[in-house]
Amino acid sequence: MANEHASSDVREPGTDFIRDIVREDLAAGKHRSVVTRFPPEPNGFLHIGHAKSICLNFGIAEEFGGRCHLRMDDTNPVKEEQLYIDAIQDDVRWLGFDWGTHFHHASDYFEQLYAWAEKLIGDGKAYVDDQSAEDMRIARGTLTEAGKNSPFRDRSVAENLDLFRRMRKGEFPNGARVLRAKIDMTSGNINLRDPVLYRILHAEHPRTGKDWCIYPSYDYAHGQSDALEGITHSICTLEFEDHRPLYDWFLDNLPVPTKPRQYEFARLNLTYAILSKRVLTQLVRDKHVSGWDDPRMPTIAGIRRRGVPAVALKDFVKRIGVAKANSIVDAGVLDFSIREILNKTAERRMAVLRPLKVVITNYPEGQVEEMEAVNHPDDETKGRRTVPFTRELLIEREDFMESPPKKFYRLSPGQEVRLRYAYFITCQEVVKDADGEVVELRCTYDPQTRGGNTPPDGRKVKATLHWVSATHSVPAEVRLYGPLFKKPDPDPSDFAGDLDPASLEVIGAARVEPSLAGANSAAPVQFERLGYFCPDKDSTPGALVFNRTVGLRDTYAKEVKKG
Ligand code: ATP
Ligand code: MG
């Protein structure tokens, strides 16, 4: 059901600056059709920032009748795994995008990239450098200080070729040598100060196995992969803006089949989250979360497990737009999109998180009435169901107060309320245990209010409570999630102290209406008055587990004030 809404308007071409460029290029006949790509490095699960990039790249291809490639930027075998390659495909598909036959890998081009590296050497535009990593770093200079030429910079073409071939053959240990482009150690752009093209890494690659022990750098692989695939618009985030001259340098100095152009947009930042695979990897590795798909994680897998429909994520991405200036988006915006979609699509159910027993003393023992309940207040097509009403019921503990303040209209001694779809009840007596804790309410009901309707005398009540039958409801575990971090701006380099230990609250003894028994569809539901929930993957027909996807109201506004 996740993809049944809003896809029609997501397809409408947008008007951000990148789409404007694409539109103009197509109108001017620069390209027959637009070709984009989403190029993740398979070193972790995708996060919501990647979702923005996916929606942009695949969205443009869809809207302008072009195509978008999914390309694994698999140039660093030390950090990359098949697990991540699979997860990335799952996530992009779940978002509703299709790369058709265009699933590619930078490693598909290793042989070509190698041949082009030899060409650069032959043209005197690349050399093998034996400096240590530390010496190279010092010689690179700073933003205000020019770099210094390497003592190995003027090696002959023959010597460079020989060394580079021996690097490939595996004659040298990791880090012994690198291949560098010979550009300009005094360039104002540090990326042009003889960047590294190849490094030695004796590591097994998920796809090429032990074929290689030298691997291309991101910069050397990326633009050429784009060119080989005929990418027209290579869209990336702003931190690559300074890499663009290098991107173009490779394309200008190699016999590439096409000349893609790189465009940069602002990455997504979100309050209460850190959108960085490095940090997310640490959270998983150090067991701050249960895994990559922990529902508190800002990963696409986590968001999905929490019950967020793909259309809500796409709605969010559309809402925040594409710009050239970095900014931070309030996490409440995402929740807003989720509520917008779920309010329309989620069926209503009743569940009680923290039950308090209610006995209807004037209701016949053993009687069960099937009360009719609508599945959606604004959508009759979603139909109706029945909810069993019995003498013993459960209500939410917080819906009762023994000595209520003035404006508390829910249940209290002597107070009458409506039980949704059922009857008006009045609290007659409070039963407590030895510790003085309220364990049961003894109430009476008015048979003339069946269905929750106003009685003939026109009596009104001010509160309507949700409830379940004590005897016919089903036990469930409910997991409530808050933001993983206490602060809206956790420190990415030192975040452990910013983690909120209260971000997961497990409610072990919730009860849900029997229609949810065996809830094995992943469809999200609204628990009336509580929020939107969906069955978790840990759920079994015998032991239900629900995740709270989002509450009914914005809680971030409040939290900011508190913090
Ligand atoms: P991270 O910083 O989380 O490790 P990354 O940029 O290293 O992310 P890649 O796998 O290289 O991750 O990213 C794939 C694509 O997704 C790139 O084009 C990158 O620009 C884009 N991307 C990554 N993070 C964001 C973000 N927060 N917002 C928008 N796009 C992003
Ligand atoms: Mg990256």
Side-chain angles (χ1 to χ4, degrees), residues 37-43 46-54 57 73 88 218 222 235-240 265-269 275-278 280:
R37 86 287 170 265
F38 174 64
E41 182 180 357
N43 61 349
L46 299 179
H47 53 61
I48 185 171
H50 295 114
K52 176 177 178 180
S53 177
I54 293 167
N57 281 292
D73 173 26
I88 288 168
Y218 167 86
H222 199 82
I235 303 165
C236 61
T237 35
L238 281 176
E239 65 270 26
F240 294 104
F265 69 101
R267 64 191 290 119
L268 168 64
N269 299 299
L275 301 184
S276 144
K277 276 186 287 188
R278 182 184 58 78
L280 299 180

Side-chain angles (χ1 to χ4, degrees), residues 494-523:
D494 182 21
F495 56 83
D498 294 336
L499 285 163
D500 188 348
S503 58
L504 168 62
E505 185 183 354
V506 178
I507 309 235
R511 305 282 296 203
V512 302
E513 61 169 82
S515 72
L516 286 165
N520 47 13
S521 92

Side-chain angles (χ1 to χ4, degrees), residues 341-357:
I341 299 292
L342 289 182
N343 181 39
K344 285 187 221 138
T345 56
E347 292 196 2
R348 273 47 170 176
R349 293 290 183 269
M350 288 199 289
V352 173
L353 297 189
R354 297 169 187 87
L356 174 60
K357 187 171 168 188

Side-chain angles (χ1 to χ4, degrees), residues 74-211:
D74 55 350
T75 52
N76 182 1
V78 179
K79 289 192 177 163
E80 294 157 10
E81 288 178 32
Q82 187 61 41
L83 166 78
Y84 300 138
I85 297 178
D86 296 340
I88 288 168
Q89 295 181 72
D90 288 349
D91 289 348
V92 176
R93 258 192 225 111
W94 176 73
L95 276 169
F97 295 115
D98 184 6
W99 51 86
T101 56
H102 292 282
F103 181 53
H104 303 298
H105 299 78
S107 57
D108 298 339
Y109 316 123
F110 279 177
E111 205 61 60
Q112 176 67 77
L113 292 169
Y114 177 84
W116 279 340
E118 286 207 352
K119 177 182 164 44
L120 288 176
I121 294 173
D123 293 345
K125 292 172 183 166
Y127 63 99
V128 173
D129 195 343
D130 302 356
Q131 288 183 103
S132 68
E134 178 61 6
D135 286 346
M136 271 194 0
R137 193 185 57 74
I138 294 165
R140 187 169 289 122
T142 63
L143 283 174
T144 50
E145 221 184 301
K148 291 191 186 69
N149 284 353
S150 162
F152 302 95
R153 201 173 195 261
D154 295 318
R155 276 180 161 151
S156 69
V157 167
E159 189 185 3
N160 280 320
L161 260 185
D162 174 60
L163 285 171
F164 187 48
R165 287 177 180 162
R166 289 165 61 198
M167 277 168 66
R168 177 182 185 168
K169 276 199 210 134
E171 288 188 23
F172 311 118
N174 288 353
R177 301 190 148 89
V178 293
L179 183 72
R180 300 177 75 176
K182 194 191 271 192
I183 306 181
D184 179 5
M185 288 306 289
T186 66
S187 172
N189 184 336
I190 292 182
N191 294 297
L192 294 179
R193 294 184 190 169
D194 294 7
V196 170
L197 309 187
Y198 274 90
R199 62 242 195 264
I200 300 170
L201 269 179
H202 291 272
E204 194 157 333
H205 187 283
R207 286 188 75 249
T208 59
K210 290 184 173 152
D211 291 354

Side-chain angles (χ1 to χ4, degrees), residues 402-416:
E402 193 174 12
S403 327
K406 246 204 184 117
K407 289 202 169 154
F408 186 86
Y409 298 118
R410 291 170 279 163
L411 210 53
S412 58
Q415 179 90 31
E416 186 171 44

Side-chain angles (χ1 to χ4, degrees), residues 3 8 30 54 58 133 139 182 240 251 273 275 320-321 363-364 423 434 472-473 482 504:
N3 288 321
S8 57
K30 263 201 197 166
I54 293 167
F58 280 93
K182 194 191 271 192
F240 294 104
L251 300 184
L275 301 184
I320 59 176
Y363 194 82
Y423 292 105
H472 289 57
S473 60
L504 168 62

